[in-house]
Amino acid sequence: FDGPFLMIRSAVNGVVPKRDLVGYRYGFHPNCDLREALNFFGTTNQRQFKFNLDLACKLFGVETSKSEGIDGRSVETWYRAGRHREIADYCLEDVRATAELLIDMAKAQAEIKRHIEEYNRLRANKKATRNSYLLLLGLITLFILFVATWVALLLARLVIIPLSALVAASRE
């Protein structure tokens, strides 16, 4: 929200921004609409599933800025009551929580990306690995056949010697 709002206000006031505050919608860098990212860039049913800063902070283990039932809806009441210091403190806590959450989300996204790359690397090697295992199984099979044949010939010789002696004795 803040990036596009600031860009529009800059245009209205004739101020040229020094950098693009909107960025690529589906990326985290250089700018990120955290609420948009938490809500999967509008791909979910907003009536059934909706992240907010408080919920996201609790899920990621970040100390939430929403304490004792205070949220953005309290700001107008505080402003009318002249509680400007509380508004500033609330906004500062919101910024701190948002920054910590963004850092945690960026770490989580980097880890997910690393796992996806690892999966893709393993998937690319899948055929070579499968062929290696099939070759190994083939060699084991040939070894077993060789040993079985050798044992069979050895047993045949052991049986033939007494039989040939018996045949020779029966001829005498």
Side-chain angles (χ1 to χ4, degrees), residues 36-131:
E36 181 85 357
L38 288 168
N39 286 293
F40 300 99
F41 303 102
T43 59
T44 59
N45 184 340
Q46 294 295 317
R47 287 177 280 166
Q48 294 176 350
F49 183 79
K50 193 170 188 178
F51 267 104
N52 58 32
L53 182 60
D54 186 44
L55 176 60
C57 284
K58 288 175 182 171
L59 289 174
F60 277 86
V62 173
E63 185 180 336
T64 180
S65 60
K66 317 297 188 208
S67 60
E68 302 167 17
I70 298 170
D71 60 18
R73 294 175 290 209
S74 306
V75 172
E76 181 182 0
T77 307
W78 287 357
Y79 180 78
R80 293 188 190 284
R83 297 173 63 185
H84 301 135
R85 185 71 207 158
E86 286 92 342
I87 293 172
D89 291 342
Y90 169 76
C91 289
L92 185 61
E93 280 299 303
D94 244 14
V95 169
R96 181 209 43 82
T98 302
E100 284 183 35
L101 183 60
L102 179 62
I103 290 168
D104 286 355
M105 284 184 62
K107 286 178 186 174
Q109 184 189 33
E111 189 170 338
I112 290 169
K113 185 177 180 181
R114 185 179 60 78
H115 286 293
I116 289 171
E117 289 169 354
E118 175 73 10
Y119 170 78
N120 287 337
R121 185 185 64 75
L122 290 173
R123 195 171 113 210
N125 294 333
K126 177 182 171 185
K127 190 172 184 178
T129 304
R130 183 175 158 255
N131 288 341

Side-chain angles (χ1 to χ4, degrees), residues 2 8 32 39 42 50 52 59 61 68 77 82 93 110 119 132 134 137 140 158 161:
D2 294 339
I8 291 169
C32 171
N39 286 293
K50 193 170 188 178
N52 58 32
L59 289 174
E68 302 167 17
T77 307
E93 280 299 303
Y119 170 78
S132 296
L134 286 175
L137 287 173
I140 291 171
L158 292 175
I161 292 173

